[in-house]
């Protein structure tokens, strides 16, 4: 079954950098802080961490296992490991489709980060009030050409790195970008904490306000955990298939999850003290990064440097994630249709580009084109994070817990008895019972939300 010519991540550090690169993205730096700001600060953090441990760890373990055992792309993996003639490969097809859909809106926001790097360099946040900055953001994001040009550039960069291959493209770029990202975010955190009045932000972040917690906050935290760890659509199956047979899978899972969580927390440490120091409402929502932060930078000593660092950080984080999303599709095309990497990457990028243009235009001139009541952008976001990923995660848990052979899984996790697997019983119990029930709960709730929206 193992194909000796199959591409591999070269080093242990490379595996962690690439997988953490996938996990750490707009989800950590843009989405996590605003979700936290809207849902009770520390209380959300606490529930999020419970979700990471109970759901994130076992599902990532399952995806890595499925990938490394099968040495295949997301579709091929289920076909190789599932019973003959079964339809499990459809889970992989849904994953590849999810990759297209997620990329469709993700590259739009990624493109915005490039525009904001340029804005930072040209010092255009300086001396502007909130109203002006809000108008600037709205004008830009609803415009026709500028966002599309940035999105196209971002997609081209992603495509070039993917064509470079697993080792020389994905791994090499991640080993360069991830340490840089860590340095920038720590610098930003230190700067924010030392602002006058910054302590209040830390208090908000770490002191749980349980009165804000209700069932929808719990379910949001679970959805965020999925999105942030790149789970539920075969991304970690694909990366798992490149992990060397000598690597310790469980350690890799712990390291990637740790880095992802720490970066989400560091991003919040960088953002909230500054929010409080400048008297801005922490419950801003999705505009927090593109309107509130430039506002903060505009009134901060050395604002140009800090805003430049911040938007470079955001685009690096986004890039290592778009790379992983494109790789899901490219691995599928190259292995199932025997295409070259370059051809697969170009065809996939062209498809994503079309979706991305539609999503970008849906912010402006196409804002009254609706699919099930959503704009194209919101439709792609909602159908993936509220339906396709939870469903994928549920099916992956069921596949690992009920279809795969237990002793083969044990062999893969222990590298044929070399490593201790004392955690296996807990993992197996969670993946069979706890995770499916928990995910089913998120899923039903989301369907309930859709019904409430009268879809
Ligand atoms: N995890 C990334 C983030 O936090 C986004 C991402 C990359 C992703 N690959 C994925 C999300 C696969 C879901 C599935 O921004």
């Amino acid at each position: 079954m193992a194909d000796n010519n199959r591409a591999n991540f070269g080093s242990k550090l490379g595996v962690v950098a690439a997988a953490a690169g996938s996990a750490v993205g707009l989800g950590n730096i843009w989405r996590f802080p605003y979700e936290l700001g809207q849902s009770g600060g520390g209380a959300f953090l606490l529930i999020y961490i419970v979700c990471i441990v109970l759901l994130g760890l076992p599902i990532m373990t399952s995806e890595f296992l499925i990938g490394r055992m099968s040495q295949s792309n997301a579709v091929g993996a289920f076909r190789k490991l599932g019973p003959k003639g079964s339809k499990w490969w459809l889970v992989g097809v849904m994953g590849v489709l999810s990759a297209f859909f997620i990329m469709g809106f993700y590259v739009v926001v990624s493109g915005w980060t490039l525009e904001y790097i340029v804005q930072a360099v040209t010092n255009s946040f300086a001396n502007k009030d909130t109203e002006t900055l809000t108008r600037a953001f709205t004008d830009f994001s609803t415009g026709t050409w500028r966002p599309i040009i940035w999105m196209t550039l971002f997609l081209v960069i992603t495509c070039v790195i993917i064509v470079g291959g697993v080792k020389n493209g994905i791994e090499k770029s991640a080993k360069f970008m991830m340490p840089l990202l860590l340095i920038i975010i720590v610098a930003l955190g230190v700067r924010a904490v030392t602002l006058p009045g910054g302590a209040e932000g830390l208090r908000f972040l770490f002191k749980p306000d349980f009165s804000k917690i209700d069932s929808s906050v719990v379910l949001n935290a679970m959805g965020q955990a999925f999105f942030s760890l790149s789970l539920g659509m075969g991304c970690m199956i694909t990366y798992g298939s490149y992990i060397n047979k000598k690597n310790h899978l469980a350690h890799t899972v712990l390291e990637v999850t740790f880095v992802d969580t720490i970066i989400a927390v560091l991003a919040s440490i960088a953002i909230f003290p500054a929010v409080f120091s400048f008297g801005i409402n922490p419950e801003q929502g999705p505009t927090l990064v593109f309107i509130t932060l430039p506002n903060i930078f505009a009134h901060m000593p050395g604002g140009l440097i800090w805003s430049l660092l911040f938007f470079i950080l955001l685009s690096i984080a986004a890039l290592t994630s778009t790379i992983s999303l494109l790789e899901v599709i490219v691995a599928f095309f190259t292995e199932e249709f025997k295409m070259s990497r370059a051809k697969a990457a170009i065809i996939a990028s062209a498809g994503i580009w079309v979706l991305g243009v539609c999503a970008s235009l849906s912010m402006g001139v196409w804002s009254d084109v609706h699919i099930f009541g959503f704009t194209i952008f919101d439709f792609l976001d909602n159908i993936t994070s509220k339906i396709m990923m939870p469903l994928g995660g549920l099916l992956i848990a069921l596949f690992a817990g009920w279809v795969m052979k237990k002793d083969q899984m044990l062999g893969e996790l222990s590298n044929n008895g070399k490593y201790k697997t004392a955690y296996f019983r807990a993992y197996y119990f969670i993946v069979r019972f706890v995770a499916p029930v928990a995910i089913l709960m998120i899923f039903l709730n989301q369907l309930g939300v859709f019904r409430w929206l009268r879809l």
Side-chain angles (χ1 to χ4, degrees):
M1 210 149 71
D3 173 0
N4 288 332
N5 294 323
R6 191 176 170 79
N8 254 301
F9 289 128
S11 67
K12 196 172 161 250
L13 183 72
V15 175
V16 177
S22 168
V24 176
L26 298 172
N28 302 60
I29 300 164
W30 165 68
R31 201 162 180 256
F32 181 82
Y34 85 70
E35 292 263 356
L36 184 137
Q38 286 178 326
S39 325
F44 180 85
L45 181 61
L46 210 69
I47 295 172
Y48 176 78
I49 290 174
V50 172
C51 293
I52 289 287
V53 173
L54 265 188
L55 224 58
L57 292 178
I59 299 217
M60 192 184 293
T61 307
S62 307
E63 290 207 24
F64 277 168
L65 264 178
I66 294 172
R68 197 171 72 166
M69 274 170 86
S70 67
Q71 295 285 302
S72 269
N73 67 84
V75 177
F78 287 100
R79 210 181 33 237
K80 276 192 191 164
L81 301 179
K84 274 218 161 30
S86 69
K87 293 269 181 283
W88 281 99
W89 56 273
L90 285 171
V91 180
V93 172
M94 186 172 73
V96 174
L97 210 64
S98 307
F100 268 110
F101 285 6
I102 295 172
M103 276 294 260
F105 70 91
Y106 206 92
V107 284
V108 176
V109 183
S110 303
W112 296 350
T113 66
L114 297 181
E115 163 80 14
Y116 271 69
I117 290 180
V118 173
Q119 301 269 344
V121 171
T122 53
N123 205 12
S124 56
F125 307 134
N127 307 320
K128 297 222 171 97
D129 58 10
T130 312
E131 204 186 313
T132 320
L133 289 166
T134 308
R135 196 161 1 94
F137 176 71
T138 313
D139 285 348
F140 162 68
S141 61
T142 59
T144 299
W145 290 108
R146 273 182 91 90
I148 291 183
I149 290 168
W150 287 124
M151 178 205 88
T152 308
L153 178 63
F154 205 93
L155 198 50
V156 169
I157 299 172
T158 307
C159 189
V160 166
I161 294 173
I162 284 295
V163 173
V166 173
K167 226 185 223 131
N168 292 325
I170 302 176
E171 183 177 352
K172 222 176 185 174
S173 63
K175 270 161 100 173
F176 167 70
M177 289 192 282
M178 292 309 285
L180 189 63
L181 189 144
L182 266 174
I183 293 169
I184 297 178
I185 202 157
V186 169
L188 281 164
V190 171
R191 169 70 255 209
V193 172
T194 51
L195 284 170
E200 201 183 328
L202 289 184
R203 212 167 306 125
F204 174 77
L205 193 53
F206 291 114
K207 198 164 156 262
D209 170 7
F210 284 104
S211 69
K212 285 264 175 67
I213 298 303
D214 56 19
S215 70
S216 90
V217 169
V218 176
L219 298 165
N220 278 348
M222 285 205 258
Q224 173 62 20
F226 256 95
F227 189 83
S228 190
L229 290 173
S230 306
L231 298 177
M233 46 73 73
C235 199
M236 292 304 182
I237 294 180
T238 308
Y239 272 22
S241 75
Y242 303 137
I243 298 180
N244 195 291
K245 287 280 186 193
K246 290 190 211 115
N247 280 124
H248 194 311
L249 278 189
H251 283 176
T252 310
V253 170
L254 286 177
E255 285 151 8
V256 171
T257 307
F258 180 74
V259 171
D260 187 70
T261 309
I262 280 295
I263 296 220
V265 173
L266 280 175
S268 312
I269 291 180
I271 290 170
F272 285 107
V275 165
F276 279 88
S277 176
F278 290 96
I280 285 162
N281 178 9
E283 297 182 21
Q284 277 263 317
T287 54
L288 192 68
V289 161
F290 291 101
I291 297 172
T292 308
L293 279 194
N295 196 3
I296 293 170
F297 295 134
H299 300 100
M300 202 158 99
L304 191 150
I305 288 293
W306 296 109
S307 58
L308 185 57
L309 281 181
F310 182 80
F311 287 107
I312 290 177
L313 166 80
L314 202 56
S315 61
I316 290 178
L319 182 59
T320 49
S321 297
T322 53
I323 288 171
S324 73
L325 284 159
L326 185 57
E327 180 62 21
V328 172
I329 308 172
V330 167
F332 168 67
F333 280 177
T334 53
E335 290 171 14
E336 303 293 320
F337 303 113
K338 307 281 168 252
M339 271 182 209
S340 70
R341 269 189 91 78
K343 190 170 167 194
I346 289 167
I347 292 177
S349 301
I352 292 165
W353 188 81
V354 173
L355 274 180
V357 167
C358 295
S360 183
L361 291 178
S362 78
M363 293 276 159
V365 287
W366 287 1
S367 61
D368 42 0
V369 177
H370 285 152
I371 306 176
F372 297 116
F374 294 106
T375 62
I376 300 168
F377 184 102
D378 288 341
F379 173 75
L380 293 174
D381 182 356
N382 280 286
I383 195 171
T384 49
S385 62
K386 296 188 177 164
I387 298 184
M388 292 166 92
M389 284 165 53
L391 186 59
L394 172 65
L395 292 169
I396 287 167
L398 291 176
F399 188 78
W402 300 90
V403 178
M404 282 163 74
K405 300 208 174 60
K406 192 176 167 184
D407 42 334
Q408 280 181 12
M409 287 161 76
L410 251 172
E412 190 72 39
L413 276 173
S414 65
N415 291 7
N416 298 320
K418 239 175 76 201
Y419 296 128
K420 288 204 198 76
T421 46
Y423 58 87
F424 188 81
R425 281 179 60 179
Y427 159 75
Y428 203 59
F429 177 76
I430 292 176
V431 100
R432 273 168 89 93
F433 303 104
V434 181
V437 170
I439 297 167
L440 207 64
M441 276 165 46
I442 317 181
F443 195 49
L444 291 180
N445 177 69
Q446 301 293 6
L447 288 181
V449 170
F450 282 148
R451 203 167 308 124
W452 175 71
L453 288 171
R454 276 180 281 148
L455 290 181

